[in-house]
Amino acid sequence: MRLGKPRIAPLSDTDMDDEQKAMLGERFQQGPVFNIFRTLARAPKAFKAFMWWGGYMLSRHNSLPEREREIIILRTGFNWKSGYEWAQHVRIGKDAGITDEEIERIKQGPDAPGWTPLEAAMLQATDELTSDSFVTDETWSALSELTEKQRMDLVMTVGQYTQVSMMLNSYGVQLDEGLELDPDLKA
C-alpha cells in the first residue's frame, strides 16, 4: 500500500446521507460496502458516472472472456502498485478460474513461462499501455486472435483500471476486511 491511512476517509454508515445511501443502492443493502465505494460516494456525480463505466468493464458487454479480463486487470493493478486493486481482483480472478500459480505468474509478466501466446500478448499489451500508453504494432499483431472489439475492450479495460489504481493509491483507500496485502506490493 502506498499510504498507511486514507487521505480521504471512507464514509461510515452514520456519515452517509440519504442521497449517498440511495447511490449505493443494492450494494448497501446486500452486504458490506467496500471502501472504494464508501470513498467515491463523497463525490456523488462522479461516483454515478464511475459506476456506469466500471459496470461496463465487469459486464458481459465487455467482450473479453472473464478470466482474460481479470488477468489484464490484475496486471494493471500490479504495474501501478495498487495493493487494494490487486487484493480485490485476486479474489475475483480466482472466481473466474485463475489459479494461485497463475496469479504469481501475472506478477512476472508476459515473459513468464506457461502463458499461451495470446495470454502473453495480452500481458505485453497491458505492460505497454501502463508504461507508454500505446500498444506497439508487433503486440497488436500478436493479438490477432482477438476481434477488433476485444482489442478495444482490452485497451479500455487497462485504461479504466489505471484510473481506478490512481484513485485508490492517491486517496489512500485501505484494504477491506478479509483482504491481505500482497508482500510484493508493500511500500
Side-chain angles (χ1 to χ4, degrees), residues 57-165:
M57 290 302 149
L58 296 178
S59 76
R60 290 188 177 101
H61 298 291
N62 184 329
S63 61
L64 295 170
E66 185 180 12
R67 180 182 171 281
E68 286 71 16
R69 180 194 71 214
E70 289 302 320
I71 289 171
I72 292 165
I73 292 170
L74 282 164
R75 184 64 179 172
T76 301
F78 187 79
N79 286 352
W80 292 122
K81 296 175 180 45
S82 180
Y84 186 98
E85 186 61 33
W86 177 265
Q88 282 289 7
H89 279 272
V90 162
R91 183 172 37 194
I92 296 167
K94 286 181 179 182
D95 288 344
I98 298 173
T99 66
D100 289 335
E101 187 269 330
E102 289 171 320
I103 287 169
E104 288 304 310
R105 270 197 286 136
I106 289 168
K107 293 191 265 183
Q108 297 169 31
D111 296 329
W115 296 122
T116 67
L118 180 58
E119 290 166 341
M122 293 173 81
L123 287 162
Q124 181 64 37
T126 302
D127 284 2
E128 291 173 4
L129 287 165
T130 56
S131 65
D132 190 37
S133 301
F134 178 75
V135 178
T136 63
D137 287 342
E138 180 181 353
T139 301
W140 195 259
S141 293
L143 296 168
S144 65
E145 287 181 49
L146 298 179
T147 66
E148 182 177 84
K149 170 99 167 47
Q150 287 175 318
R151 290 182 204 185
M152 291 176 71
D153 281 339
L154 185 151
V155 173
M156 288 186 275
T157 300
V158 173
Q160 162 68 4
Y161 284 91
T162 291
Q163 177 188 27
V164 171
S165 294

